[in-house]
Amino acid sequence: MDMSKVVESDSSSVGSGVLQLSLDSIRESLIRQEDTIVFSLIERAKFPLNSPAFEESHSLDSENSSSLTEFFIREIEILQAKVGRYENPEENPFFLDNIPHSVFPTRKYPPVLYTKALSVNINKRIWDVYFKELLPLFVKPGDDGNYPLTAASDFACLQALSRRIHYGKFVAEVKYRDAPQDYEPAIRAQDKEALMKLLTFEKVEEMVKKRVQKKAETFGQEVKCITGDEKNYKVDPLVVSRIYGEWLIPLTKLVEVEYLLRRLD
Amino acid sequence: MDMSKVVESDSSSVGSGVLQLSLDSIRESLIRQEDTIVFSLIERAKFPLNSPAFEESHSLDSENSSSLTEFFIREIEILQAKVGRYENPEENPFFLDNIPHSVFPTRKYPPVLYTKALSVNINKRIWDVYFKELLPLFVKPGDDGNYPLTAASDFACLQALSRRIHYGKFVAEVKYRDAPQDYEPAIRAQDKEALMKLLTFEKVEEMVKKRVQKKAETFGQEVKCITGDEKNYKVDPLVVSRIYGEWLIPLTKLVEVEYLLRRLD
């Protein structure tokens, strides 16, 4: 199967009736998610690194030894679970092992993903990558003390990145259904390398990287009433392209591999 | 005093030393906040109106009669207070009458605003305006059941709009300090109309409306690798301009008036 169909074709669809999964809808969602990711990076870049928010404990409460950011995100995930966010198979929590029930009626999502592969969650890795590798690339060093807004902004980035990366589960499911015979030998052999090779389409990846670079140029420019020539981007567009190329695309494929490894369980 | 100095001049500054308040910093913040507001409207427009989330009680818990959105925002504000968000005089909660103490050490903000006028808060009005008037202007009608993400998205819009509108307190303080003699007679007479007149600069308002329209065009376009001619905006740029002209600018001025009415208490 041609991966380019998943993210680039304009009309192909393998919509599987009851399960409502199509290449078109996946492609549209991934492209729209790029905007969300670029917006969230631009918003985070308003603040400097502010590492005390996420690095060490600044709690006054001796029972609470987590960083401000971890405390905030742990608590907000409980709250979001209470309004039903994690019933949506596109949403993957960072800290919830046992997801609290929603106190509101929730939408029933059709069972699109394979049950035994549904729980793939690499958010621990995304957390580390984000704070240790990505953040220093696109924010200024320094500390302005504005930790509450920084934590909220980090959470928006983390959720957007996590959603994109875990969308790999839907990509993998569609690709598997489209050509199970291509994937089954590698799945039965639990051969990660062979699966990664089947999932890699360099041309498509190059195009995604170019497109997000253009999005960072477009959304991160200073918009004035009279257009000048100087360009002063809020986030370096090449960095955004690099974030996609070095982390987001590989981590999405990692989710695809992990999903497929469980696809015949 | 010329209002245009506050939001348009490139070099003027009345930075008042200790208090760190300058026309330049206010102007820069307001312009940067436009990006945040436009991003948040574009993100909210991914979802249809989803009115059951905010209109009626869908709670399973009989003790909780608020809407999902109100429940979510009330709880998240408590959580944000616990990490110190509302110690920042730029942040104004929607529901907190008694702001819980932060469980983390907090930044000390210099006392920029006049103590007796500090507490001006028109968030009840902003809430009503947002759900009843603004939202139907820029989202599609309908209900896709995705209430948890819709509520989070509404909260992002509400916070961005509220911050912009309540920035009127800083604008008013700077204008007052720059020419107290211009404002004192109207303040002593508690003459809202005269104050509103002193605060209104139509040319500046027109320019802000044009600029946000251009921002909505720029940030809400479909970005492709190959540029086509068709423009398909995620949020109608004229609607964004109208939101500024009919609600954001007048409500900001309302905050300015309310602030100034208390400025000599």
Side-chain angles (χ1 to χ4, degrees), chain B residues 10-29:
Chain B
D10 275 321
S11 57
S12 65
S13 169
V14 292
S16 38
V18 186
L19 300 183
Q20 297 184 327
L21 191 64
S22 75
L23 293 170
D24 268 358
S25 66
I26 286 178
R27 171 185 163 270
E28 265 170 41
S29 176

Side-chain angles (χ1 to χ4, degrees), chain A residues 32 35-36 42-43 46 58 60 75 79 83 103 105 107 144 148 214 218-219 221 224 227 234, chain B residues 32 35-36 39 42-43 46 58 60 75 79 83 103 105 107 144 148 214 218-219 221 224 227 234:
Chain A
R32 184 63 188 76
D35 298 17
T36 304
I42 290 170
E43 288 294 276
K46 282 196 284 193
H58 275 228
L60 297 177
E75 293 289 321
L79 175 54
V83 297
V103 294
R107 175 177 167 190
D144 70 359
K214 186 137 182 235
T218 308
F219 304 151
Q221 66 186 297
K224 292 169 184 162
T227 312
K234 295 183 184 89
Chain B
R32 184 63 188 77
D35 298 18
T36 304
F39 290 162
I42 290 171
E43 288 294 279
K46 284 197 281 194
H58 275 229
L60 298 175
E75 293 289 322
L79 175 54
V83 296
V103 294
R107 175 178 168 189
D144 70 0
K214 185 135 181 238
T218 306
F219 304 151
Q221 66 185 299
K224 291 167 185 164
T227 312
K234 296 184 184 88

Side-chain angles (χ1 to χ4, degrees), chain A residues 39-197:
Chain A
F39 290 162
S40 72
L41 299 179
I42 290 170
E43 288 294 276
R44 176 58 181 85
K46 282 196 284 193
F47 307 104
L49 188 60
N50 282 344
S51 58
F54 54 85
E55 266 182 356
E56 42 190 300
S57 173
H58 275 228
S59 172
L60 297 177
D61 172 358
S62 56
E63 282 176 41
N64 172 22
S65 63
S66 68
S67 69
L68 182 150
T69 304
E70 186 181 327
F71 167 85
F72 179 70
I73 295 181
R74 278 183 184 276
E75 293 289 321
I76 209 173
E77 285 197 332
I78 293 170
L79 175 54
Q80 293 200 324
K82 284 187 186 166
V83 297
R85 184 178 189 115
Y86 301 107
E87 318 256 333
N88 184 339
E90 292 177 23
E91 301 294 322
N92 299 271
F94 281 82
F95 291 110
L96 295 178
D97 292 321
N98 298 303
I99 295 176
H101 284 294
S102 173
V103 294
F104 292 87
T106 51
R107 175 177 167 190
K108 294 285 162 276
Y109 290 87
V112 169
L113 298 175
Y114 187 70
T115 311
K116 289 186 174 173
L118 188 64
S119 62
V120 171
N121 183 323
I122 65 162
N123 271 338
K124 276 198 179 67
R125 177 130 175 220
I126 295 172
W127 180 280
D128 283 341
V129 163
Y130 176 75
F131 286 108
K132 289 176 190 160
E133 304 188 65
L134 305 193
L135 203 47
L137 285 182
F138 71 93
V139 302
K140 286 194 264 316
D143 181 354
D144 70 359
N146 203 343
Y147 306 148
L149 273 74
T150 302
S153 201
D154 280 328
F155 186 47
C157 291
L158 283 165
Q159 280 195 321
L161 298 171
S162 170
R163 192 180 310 116
R164 198 281 179 201
I165 289 166
H166 288 97
Y167 225 74
K169 292 191 255 184
F170 295 90
V171 176
E173 179 61 26
V174 161
K175 290 162 100 168
Y176 174 79
R177 280 193 212 164
D178 200 37
Q181 69 284 357
D182 290 358
Y183 292 92
E184 276 168 14
I187 295 172
R188 287 194 203 287
Q190 294 284 293
D191 184 341
K192 292 185 187 193
E193 247 177 87
L195 286 172
M196 193 57 92
K197 216 170 159 185

Side-chain angles (χ1 to χ4, degrees), chain B residues 138-200:
Chain B
F138 71 92
V139 302
K140 286 195 264 316
D143 182 354
D144 70 0
N146 203 343
Y147 306 147
L149 272 73
T150 303
S153 201
D154 280 328
F155 186 47
C157 290
L158 283 165
Q159 279 194 323
L161 297 171
S162 170
R163 192 178 312 114
R164 198 280 180 202
I165 290 166
H166 288 96
Y167 225 73
K169 292 190 256 185
F170 295 90
V171 176
E173 178 63 25
V174 162
K175 290 162 99 166
Y176 174 80
R177 280 194 213 165
D178 200 36
Q181 68 284 359
D182 291 357
Y183 291 93
E184 276 169 14
I187 296 172
R188 289 196 202 285
Q190 294 285 293
D191 184 342
K192 292 185 187 195
E193 247 178 89
L195 286 171
M196 191 58 92
K197 217 172 159 184
L198 282 165
L199 297 164
T200 298

Side-chain angles (χ1 to χ4, degrees), chain B residues 35-259:
Chain B
D35 298 18
T36 304
I37 289 170
V38 175
F39 290 162
S40 73
L41 299 180
I42 290 171
E43 288 294 279
R44 177 58 181 84
K46 284 197 281 194
F47 307 104
L49 188 60
N50 282 344
S51 58
F54 55 85
E55 265 183 355
E56 40 192 300
S57 173
H58 275 229
S59 173
L60 298 175
D61 172 356
S62 57
E63 282 176 43
N64 172 21
S65 64
S66 68
S67 70
L68 183 150
T69 304
E70 186 181 326
F71 168 84
F72 179 71
I73 295 181
R74 278 182 184 277
E75 293 289 322
I76 209 173
E77 285 196 332
I78 292 170
L79 175 54
Q80 294 199 324
K82 284 186 186 167
V83 296
R85 185 179 189 114
Y86 302 107
E87 318 256 332
N88 184 338
E90 294 177 23
E91 302 293 323
N92 299 271
F94 282 82
F95 291 111
L96 295 178
D97 292 322
N98 298 304
I99 295 176
H101 283 291
S102 174
V103 294
F104 293 87
T106 52
R107 175 178 168 189
K108 295 285 163 277
Y109 291 87
V112 169
L113 299 175
Y114 187 70
T115 310
K116 289 188 172 169
L118 188 64
S119 63
V120 170
N121 183 325
I122 64 163
N123 272 337
K124 277 198 178 67
R125 175 128 177 222
I126 294 172
W127 181 279
D128 284 342
V129 163
Y130 177 76
F131 285 109
K132 289 177 190 159
E133 304 187 65
L134 305 193
L135 202 48
L137 286 182
F138 71 92
V139 302
K140 286 195 264 316
D143 182 354
D144 70 0
N146 203 343
Y147 306 147
L149 272 73
T150 303
S153 201
D154 280 328
F155 186 47
C157 290
L158 283 165
Q159 279 194 323
L161 297 171
S162 170
R163 192 178 312 114
R164 198 280 180 202
I165 290 166
H166 288 96
Y167 225 73
K169 292 190 256 185
F170 295 90
V171 176
E173 178 63 25
V174 162
K175 290 162 99 166
Y176 174 80
R177 280 194 213 165
D178 200 36
Q181 68 284 359
D182 291 357
Y183 291 93
E184 276 169 14
I187 296 172
R188 289 196 202 285
Q190 294 285 293
D191 184 342
K192 292 185 187 195
E193 247 178 89
L195 286 171
M196 191 58 92
K197 217 172 159 184
L198 282 165
L199 297 164
T200 298
F201 298 85
E202 280 178 17
K203 267 193 190 168
V204 175
E205 294 180 7
E206 280 311 308
M207 203 201 41
V208 171
K209 282 161 61 184
K210 260 192 212 157
R211 190 172 57 223
V212 295
Q213 182 180 338
K214 185 135 181 238
K215 287 185 177 185
E217 286 167 10
T218 306
F219 304 151
Q221 66 185 299
E222 304 285 345
V223 176
K224 291 167 185 164
C225 283
I226 304 126
T227 312
D229 267 335
E230 92 277 33
K231 290 280 180 187
N232 195 3
Y233 299 119
K234 296 184 184 88
V235 168
D236 181 351
L238 286 171
V239 164
V240 176
S241 173
R242 199 177 143 205
I243 287 175
Y244 259 80
E246 286 184 40
W247 292 281
L248 285 196
I249 292 172
L251 287 172
T252 306
K253 288 196 293 185
L254 179 66
V255 166
E256 293 175 39
V257 169
E258 291 297 324
Y259 181 90

